[in-house]
Amino acid sequence: MGDSKLAGQFFDAAIGLLQRARDEEAGAVEAAGTLIADTVAEGGRLFAFGAGHSSLAAQDLVYRAGGLALMNLLAVPGAVGVDVVPATLGSALERVDGLASAVLDTSPARSGDVLVIISLSGRNALPVEMAMHARALGLKVIGVTSVAYASETKSRHTSGTYLKDHCDVVLDSKIAIGDAELTLDSVPAPFAPASTVVTSALLQAVMATAAGTLADRGIEPPLLRSGNVDGGHEWNGRVFEEYGDRIFYRR
């Protein structure tokens, strides 16, 4: 089997998952986009959190051209990505009780804000506690997870629950247990994960919905432009000035 055939199989798998997400999660995407639009219109703030590779989809929403300027990254030290050494420490921190509450309690997040929590398995202490504590503080929680994990794995949180159990809106990425789309008889482990592709697409669909919903209400969505197009810096400067009290990545 040639490499090109494997590449095609991965694209087919990713496209299939994207089509399922588009068709089966349309209601959840609409609900999440509306929730974000409501929060922007009411003066609330937006935060996104993910640990390890789930952080990639969170970072994809923050300070980027075509995105809402109000989305802030809620970072947990040591759990943001594979830049921590050893990389296995990040995985270990996801299982530590109390860490999520400490991060939230010292963050700018407050009642009336929205927190997007991304966790593929949704089973670790960090995202479960993050969702529970956020809701206790009065935040609305949008969870992005693979619901299949909740029926086929054991929760690592003391409550025995999963991320999906503590959300105002749940987006199901449809990713199979193990997050690998391809197998070969000659390769002992499955390979080619698609969770980042699908999760990022779901969230960008949510943000597009939010922007359109705001526009429908006569509110200009606070979007950023590329700094690599003429006038981009000036445009962004005006947005930062107008919404500076709700943007925390510039401080």
Side-chain angles (χ1 to χ4, degrees):
M1 180 181 292
D3 293 342
S4 60
K5 188 171 183 180
L6 285 173
Q9 287 181 355
F10 176 76
F11 278 114
D12 288 344
I15 290 167
L17 285 163
L18 288 170
Q19 288 175 331
R20 284 189 63 198
R22 178 193 64 193
D23 297 341
E24 298 172 20
E25 297 303 297
V29 167
E30 180 74 21
T34 301
L35 180 54
I36 287 176
D38 290 344
T39 304
V40 172
E42 294 164 7
R45 293 88 60 82
L46 309 175
F47 298 89
F49 163 77
H53 287 97
S54 289
S55 180
L56 294 173
Q59 294 178 56
D60 191 50
L61 299 176
V62 178
Y63 182 53
R64 69 166 308 149
L68 287 179
L70 304 192
M71 185 59 77
N72 301 277
L73 187 68
L74 186 67
V76 175
V80 174
V82 295
D83 58 333
V84 62
V85 178
T88 50
L89 173 60
S91 299
L93 290 174
E94 291 185 61
R95 299 191 288 272
V96 174
D97 292 326
L99 183 56
S101 295
V103 169
L104 268 176
D105 287 343
T106 55
S107 79
R110 65 189 185 196
S111 180
D113 293 346
V114 162
L115 174 58
V116 177
I117 301 178
I118 305 153
S119 173
L120 179 61
S121 72
R123 67 188 293 224
N124 284 311
L126 190 54
V128 175
E129 181 189 326
M130 184 77 75
M132 293 175 72
H133 195 59
R135 293 181 93 185
L137 293 175
L139 280 79
K140 298 291 187 180
V141 175
I142 297 169
V144 192
T145 187
S146 172
V147 172
Y149 274 82
S151 61
E152 299 182 44
T153 66
K154 185 178 179 181
S155 171
R156 288 178 175 148
H157 188 260
T158 53
S159 66
T161 60
Y162 299 79
L163 170 60
K164 71 174 186 62
D165 299 319
H166 307 285
C167 300
D168 295 276
V169 182
V170 176
L171 299 167
D172 183 4
S173 63
K174 319 292 181 182
I175 300 296
I177 305 295
D179 192 18
E181 295 300 319
L182 303 182
T183 57
L184 271 181
D185 290 342
S186 56
V187 178
F191 54 99
S195 60
T196 306
V197 174
V198 180
T199 300
S200 291
L202 275 168
L203 284 170
Q204 291 299 348
V206 167
M207 303 308 279
T209 300
T213 302
L214 286 167
D216 288 343
R217 298 177 187 176
I219 302 171
E220 181 184 326
L223 295 168
L224 295 173
R225 288 182 179 269
S226 171
N228 297 314
V229 299
D230 291 343
H233 284 297
E234 291 76 15
W235 172 281
N236 293 343
R238 287 192 297 271
V239 173
F240 289 148
E241 186 172 347
E242 182 174 352
Y243 291 95
D245 60 332
R246 297 154 77 181
I247 298 171
F248 302 101
Y249 52 81
R250 297 187 71 239
R251 296 181 179 179

